Amino acid sequence: MRPYGTGDWPPVWALLEPVFRAGETFPHDPAISEAEAQLAWVEQSQAVMVAVDPAGAVVGTYYLRPNSLALGAHVANAGYVVAEHARRKGIGSRLCQHSLQAARRLGFRLMQFNLVVSTNTAGIRCWQRNGFQIVGTLPGAFRHMQLGYVDALVMVQSLLEGPTP
């Protein structure tokens, strides 16, 4: 795991493009341009990390940013993508764990996922294994490219030690 560098954009885009085009897990326009994707993933984030394999190839990435403005900026948000060939090897969990640690270091008090697509069962299992709880369901909130309107979940995890005030 290492910080994103400007030379990482081509392999990061190679991970993001098929996921965005599929329209199954991220709310981005499936026709998003590369420049728009770079703005959304990198430029609008507080931190971007990449996971690399032993040969140095990028196999995953995440962004970390405030979930809201000003009085809600103590709540973090993150997005994760793992290369298709590297899935089911624990990389998503490592990205998640790393992002939680980074969010704590940056002073965030909570991590919130706003729109976890209900059909993304692997993602939901991963987030729950890493301490996230479902706190709400948004009926029909995601327009899945294959299935039409499906529910989305709101998931959260406290980043504070001890009970949440």
mmCIF file of all heavy atoms in Angstrom, residues 8 13 16 19 46 66 73 86 90 92 94 103 115 148-150 163-164:
data_model
loop_
_atom_site.group_PDB
_atom_site.id
_atom_site.type_symbol
_atom_site.label_atom_id
_atom_site.label_comp_id
_atom_site.label_asym_id
_atom_site.label_seq_id
_atom_site.Cartn_x
_atom_site.Cartn_y
_atom_site.Cartn_z
ATOM 1 N N ASP A 8 0.632 7.088 -11.411
ATOM 2 C CA ASP A 8 -0.279 5.975 -11.167
ATOM 3 C C ASP A 8 -1.612 6.121 -11.890
ATOM 4 O O ASP A 8 -2.410 5.181 -11.890
ATOM 5 C CB ASP A 8 -0.568 5.836 -9.657
ATOM 6 C CG ASP A 8 0.628 5.344 -8.875
ATOM 7 O OD1 ASP A 8 1.390 4.513 -9.403
ATOM 8 O OD2 ASP A 8 0.793 5.799 -7.724
ATOM 9 N N TRP A 13 -6.853 4.308 -13.699
ATOM 10 C CA TRP A 13 -7.933 4.444 -14.670
ATOM 11 C C TRP A 13 -8.284 3.077 -15.265
ATOM 12 O O TRP A 13 -9.457 2.758 -15.475
ATOM 13 C CB TRP A 13 -7.566 5.451 -15.752
ATOM 14 C CG TRP A 13 -8.572 5.576 -16.861
ATOM 15 C CD1 TRP A 13 -8.327 5.447 -18.191
ATOM 16 C CD2 TRP A 13 -9.980 5.888 -16.752
ATOM 17 N NE1 TRP A 13 -9.501 5.635 -18.917
ATOM 18 C CE2 TRP A 13 -10.517 5.911 -18.058
ATOM 19 C CE3 TRP A 13 -10.823 6.130 -15.686
ATOM 20 C CZ2 TRP A 13 -11.860 6.167 -18.313
ATOM 21 C CZ3 TRP A 13 -12.166 6.382 -15.940
ATOM 22 C CH2 TRP A 13 -12.667 6.413 -17.250
ATOM 23 N N LEU A 16 -10.559 1.608 -12.718
ATOM 24 C CA LEU A 16 -11.830 2.310 -12.557
ATOM 25 C C LEU A 16 -12.739 2.198 -13.780
ATOM 26 O O LEU A 16 -13.953 2.033 -13.628
ATOM 27 C CB LEU A 16 -11.588 3.797 -12.271
ATOM 28 C CG LEU A 16 -10.838 4.167 -11.003
ATOM 29 C CD1 LEU A 16 -10.665 5.688 -10.932
ATOM 30 C CD2 LEU A 16 -11.553 3.652 -9.779
ATOM 31 N N VAL A 19 -15.243 -0.668 -14.070
ATOM 32 C CA VAL A 19 -16.196 -0.634 -12.959
ATOM 33 C C VAL A 19 -17.217 0.476 -13.191
ATOM 34 O O VAL A 19 -18.428 0.268 -13.037
ATOM 35 C CB VAL A 19 -15.453 -0.454 -11.612
ATOM 36 C CG1 VAL A 19 -16.427 -0.209 -10.474
ATOM 37 C CG2 VAL A 19 -14.584 -1.678 -11.336
ATOM 38 N N GLN A 46 -9.046 13.799 -0.307
ATOM 39 C CA GLN A 46 -8.033 14.229 0.648
ATOM 40 C C GLN A 46 -6.821 13.302 0.595
ATOM 41 O O GLN A 46 -5.696 13.724 0.811
ATOM 42 C CB GLN A 46 -8.612 14.261 2.059
ATOM 43 C CG GLN A 46 -7.711 14.917 3.067
ATOM 44 C CD GLN A 46 -8.445 15.248 4.353
ATOM 45 O OE1 GLN A 46 -9.671 15.211 4.415
ATOM 46 N NE2 GLN A 46 -7.704 15.578 5.373
ATOM 47 N N PRO A 66 -13.717 14.054 3.079
ATOM 48 C CA PRO A 66 -14.861 14.364 3.951
ATOM 49 C C PRO A 66 -16.157 13.993 3.236
ATOM 50 O O PRO A 66 -16.303 14.195 2.025
ATOM 51 C CB PRO A 66 -14.761 15.872 4.159
ATOM 52 C CG PRO A 66 -13.342 16.215 3.865
ATOM 53 C CD PRO A 66 -12.905 15.242 2.805
ATOM 54 N N ALA A 73 -17.878 17.757 8.154
ATOM 55 C CA ALA A 73 -16.608 17.339 7.563
ATOM 56 C C ALA A 73 -15.789 16.411 8.451
ATOM 57 O O ALA A 73 -14.741 15.930 8.034
ATOM 58 C CB ALA A 73 -15.785 18.576 7.189
ATOM 59 N N ALA A 86 -7.601 -9.672 -9.210
ATOM 60 C CA ALA A 86 -7.056 -9.712 -7.853
ATOM 61 C C ALA A 86 -8.145 -9.819 -6.785
ATOM 62 O O ALA A 86 -7.851 -9.754 -5.589
ATOM 63 C CB ALA A 86 -6.207 -8.469 -7.615
ATOM 64 N N GLY A 90 -8.485 -10.764 -0.439
ATOM 65 C CA GLY A 90 -8.327 -9.945 0.753
ATOM 66 C C GLY A 90 -7.850 -8.530 0.511
ATOM 67 O O GLY A 90 -7.653 -7.763 1.458
ATOM 68 N N GLY A 92 -9.481 -5.998 -0.903
ATOM 69 C CA GLY A 92 -10.523 -5.042 -0.511
ATOM 70 C C GLY A 92 -10.519 -4.805 0.988
ATOM 71 O O GLY A 92 -10.628 -3.671 1.453
ATOM 72 N N ARG A 94 -7.950 -5.182 3.013
ATOM 73 C CA ARG A 94 -6.741 -4.421 3.363
ATOM 74 C C ARG A 94 -6.901 -2.955 3.003
ATOM 75 O O ARG A 94 -6.477 -2.073 3.753
ATOM 76 C CB ARG A 94 -5.520 -5.052 2.709
ATOM 77 C CG ARG A 94 -5.164 -6.390 3.365
ATOM 78 C CD ARG A 94 -3.763 -6.865 3.048
ATOM 79 N NE ARG A 94 -3.517 -7.195 1.659
ATOM 80 C CZ ARG A 94 -3.812 -8.359 1.089
ATOM 81 N NH1 ARG A 94 -4.381 -9.321 1.796
ATOM 82 N NH2 ARG A 94 -3.532 -8.576 -0.170
ATOM 83 N N ALA A 103 -8.066 7.505 8.058
ATOM 84 C CA ALA A 103 -9.130 8.427 8.471
ATOM 85 C C ALA A 103 -8.960 8.829 9.933
ATOM 86 O O ALA A 103 -9.132 10.004 10.289
ATOM 87 C CB ALA A 103 -10.495 7.800 8.232
ATOM 88 N N LEU A 115 -23.982 5.102 -0.346
ATOM 89 C CA LEU A 115 -24.764 4.452 -1.390
ATOM 90 C C LEU A 115 -24.145 3.092 -1.722
ATOM 91 O O LEU A 115 -23.571 2.911 -2.779
ATOM 92 C CB LEU A 115 -24.794 5.355 -2.628
ATOM 93 C CG LEU A 115 -25.901 5.123 -3.629
ATOM 94 C CD1 LEU A 115 -27.235 5.637 -3.075
ATOM 95 C CD2 LEU A 115 -25.594 5.837 -4.938
ATOM 96 N N GLY A 148 -32.048 -2.457 -13.126
ATOM 97 C CA GLY A 148 -32.969 -1.355 -12.900
ATOM 98 C C GLY A 148 -32.793 -0.786 -11.501
ATOM 99 O O GLY A 148 -31.709 -0.849 -10.921
ATOM 100 N N TYR A 149 -33.848 -0.257 -10.938
ATOM 101 C CA TYR A 149 -33.766 0.399 -9.629
ATOM 102 C C TYR A 149 -33.650 -0.638 -8.520
ATOM 103 O O TYR A 149 -34.504 -1.510 -8.394
ATOM 104 C CB TYR A 149 -34.976 1.304 -9.411
ATOM 105 C CG TYR A 149 -34.965 2.479 -10.363
ATOM 106 C CD1 TYR A 149 -35.712 2.455 -11.527
ATOM 107 C CD2 TYR A 149 -34.170 3.587 -10.099
ATOM 108 C CE1 TYR A 149 -35.671 3.515 -12.413
ATOM 109 C CE2 TYR A 149 -34.129 4.657 -10.977
ATOM 110 C CZ TYR A 149 -34.880 4.617 -12.138
ATOM 111 O OH TYR A 149 -34.827 5.663 -13.024
ATOM 112 N N VAL A 150 -32.572 -0.529 -7.746
ATOM 113 C CA VAL A 150 -32.344 -1.421 -6.606
ATOM 114 C C VAL A 150 -32.068 -0.567 -5.372
ATOM 115 O O VAL A 150 -31.728 0.618 -5.469
ATOM 116 C CB VAL A 150 -31.163 -2.397 -6.856
ATOM 117 C CG1 VAL A 150 -31.451 -3.307 -8.049
ATOM 118 C CG2 VAL A 150 -29.848 -1.652 -7.043
ATOM 119 N N PRO A 163 -17.125 3.762 23.399
ATOM 120 C CA PRO A 163 -18.504 3.984 22.929
ATOM 121 C C PRO A 163 -18.633 5.315 22.201
ATOM 122 O O PRO A 163 -17.995 6.295 22.561
ATOM 123 C CB PRO A 163 -19.353 3.957 24.194
ATOM 124 C CG PRO A 163 -18.422 3.928 25.345
ATOM 125 C CD PRO A 163 -17.029 3.690 24.847
ATOM 126 N N THR A 164 -19.460 5.317 21.167
ATOM 127 C CA THR A 164 -19.704 6.534 20.398
ATOM 128 C C THR A 164 -20.609 7.465 21.186
ATOM 129 O O THR A 164 -21.660 7.049 21.655
ATOM 130 C CB THR A 164 -20.374 6.181 19.047
ATOM 131 O OG1 THR A 164 -19.566 5.249 18.373
ATOM 132 C CG2 THR A 164 -20.542 7.416 18.188
#
